Amino acid sequence: MTIQTVSTNTSYGGVQGVYRHASQATGTDMVFSVYVPPHPAGAKLPVVWYLSGLTCTHANVTEKGEFRKACAELGLIFVAPDTSPRGPDVPGDANNAYDFGLGAGFYVDATQEPFARNYRMWSYVTDELPKLVAENFPVDAKRQSVMGHSMGGHGALTVALRNPHRYRAASAFAPIVAPSQVPWGIKALTGYLGPNKDSWRNHDTVALIEDGAKYSSFLVDVGDADNFLKEQLRPELLEAACSRASIPLTLRRQPGYDHSYYFISTFMGDHLHWHAERLKG
């Protein structure tokens, strides 16, 4: 698999790159970003995957996430995929809404038409893109972790729960923890997977835990001034599910913070240090 370099910039002694490739999973060109910190020649480095939220591309966290200083100090590769397939022939929401279709792939493999052909973001972020990154960057495949924001927090937690031996750590900013129970998730899962709610459970963090999935521990931050907290995010559901399943959860409710990258960038360093501890050795 080949990649095209869109841009590279030196930052904190490492290289921030943006790349494009033809994706077999989505049937479209996909753009993603990779930060590679300074490192000795021949070294293999741990990698943190970051899954973004609704309306985002790779660029939001790349430009506003403030992760590079910590990644350079900790020796972490940081990868940010797009959130959906894109292109003139890719179907979107019929009413051009922000919460379905383009920029809102929800990290599932769609089974419903007309989305099944392109919206295969689960396969993209768990299979195709990791293989591509491993072929082109100095990744230690035995030391991977995953994090995300909002829709991407949903993606990160479900990816970790379904692949606990691949990802050593998982954290999230303001995740949608129970998409089967909130408007954003109900709309997306119905549109991509159909009305049978049993098919939704593999893409619902709380449902996966209820069905027996286990994980070593989670770190989750939410802002108590987040406009989406009560209707869409519902962190108390994750807290209860983890408690019942004896899954260690550090849930931090941050006073005064909202849903934006001002919130994410403030606590990004905390999360990356937390990941780095679990990616050692």
Side-chain angles (χ1 to χ4, degrees):
M1 292 184 285
T2 59
I3 63 173
Q4 174 189 350
T5 300
V6 177
S7 65
T8 58
N9 297 91
T10 300
S11 181
Y12 293 100
V15 177
Q16 175 64 66
V18 177
Y19 307 93
R20 178 183 292 111
H21 74 111
S23 168
Q24 293 182 357
T26 68
T28 66
D29 282 356
M30 297 292 287
V31 178
F32 63 99
S33 78
V34 181
Y35 177 70
V36 179
H39 61 281
K44 294 290 187 179
L45 305 177
V47 58
V48 178
W49 297 89
Y50 180 91
L51 305 184
S52 293
L54 290 167
T55 76
C56 291
T57 68
H58 71 282
N60 298 73
V61 69
T62 304
E63 296 170 1
K64 297 185 287 187
E66 299 183 21
F67 56 85
R68 279 172 288 271
K69 182 178 180 181
C71 285
E73 293 172 351
L74 297 167
L76 301 174
I77 293 174
F78 191 96
V79 183
D82 202 345
T83 57
S84 78
R86 298 179 193 272
D89 298 323
V90 176
D93 184 84
N95 297 312
N96 293 318
Y98 74 95
D99 56 356
F100 186 77
L102 301 177
F106 264 81
Y107 304 101
V108 304
D109 283 352
T111 60
Q112 303 300 297
E113 298 301 334
F115 306 104
R117 183 174 60 128
N118 302 117
Y119 285 82
R120 302 185 65 245
M121 291 302 295
W122 179 269
S123 292
Y124 181 69
V125 300
T126 65
D127 183 36
E128 184 178 33
L129 188 59
K131 290 177 180 176
L132 185 70
V133 169
E135 289 176 2
N136 289 277
F137 300 93
V139 167
D140 181 352
K142 295 181 180 179
R143 292 189 291 161
Q144 300 187 63
S145 68
V146 62
M147 64 192 303
H149 169 233
S150 194
M151 177 185 72
H154 137 77
L157 297 180
T158 56
V159 162
L161 282 165
R162 291 174 60 183
N163 299 275
H165 301 297
R166 182 192 300 185
Y167 301 98
R168 291 195 189 181
S171 72
F173 301 101
I176 305 168
V177 303
S180 300
Q181 301 183 52
V182 302
W184 277 343
I186 292 169
K187 178 179 180 178
L189 296 178
T190 302
Y192 293 133
L193 303 179
N196 182 355
K197 292 186 178 182
D198 288 341
S199 68
W200 301 1
R201 297 187 70 82
N202 271 342
H203 294 286
D204 182 309
T205 298
V206 168
L208 282 166
I209 293 171
E210 289 174 348
D211 292 345
K214 297 290 186 182
Y215 201 71
S216 55
S217 64
F218 294 123
L219 170 63
V220 173
D221 276 309
V222 297
D224 72 0
D226 190 320
N227 291 335
F228 304 113
L229 187 63
K230 293 182 179 180
E231 183 179 28
Q232 305 283 9
L233 307 182
R234 306 287 305 278
E236 72 279 1
L237 297 178
L238 177 64
E239 193 170 34
C242 286
S243 177
R244 288 191 298 267
S246 298
I247 295 174
L249 168 67
T250 301
L251 175 60
R252 307 190 303 187
R253 293 175 171 86
Q254 305 291 1
Y257 285 91
D258 58 19
H259 202 68
S260 72
Y261 268 88
Y262 295 108
F263 159 60
I264 296 166
S265 62
T266 299
F267 300 102
M268 178 65 81
D270 285 358
H271 280 240
L272 290 172
H273 277 84
W274 189 84
H275 281 254
E277 282 295 314
R278 287 151 181 80
L279 291 168
K280 288 180 177 177

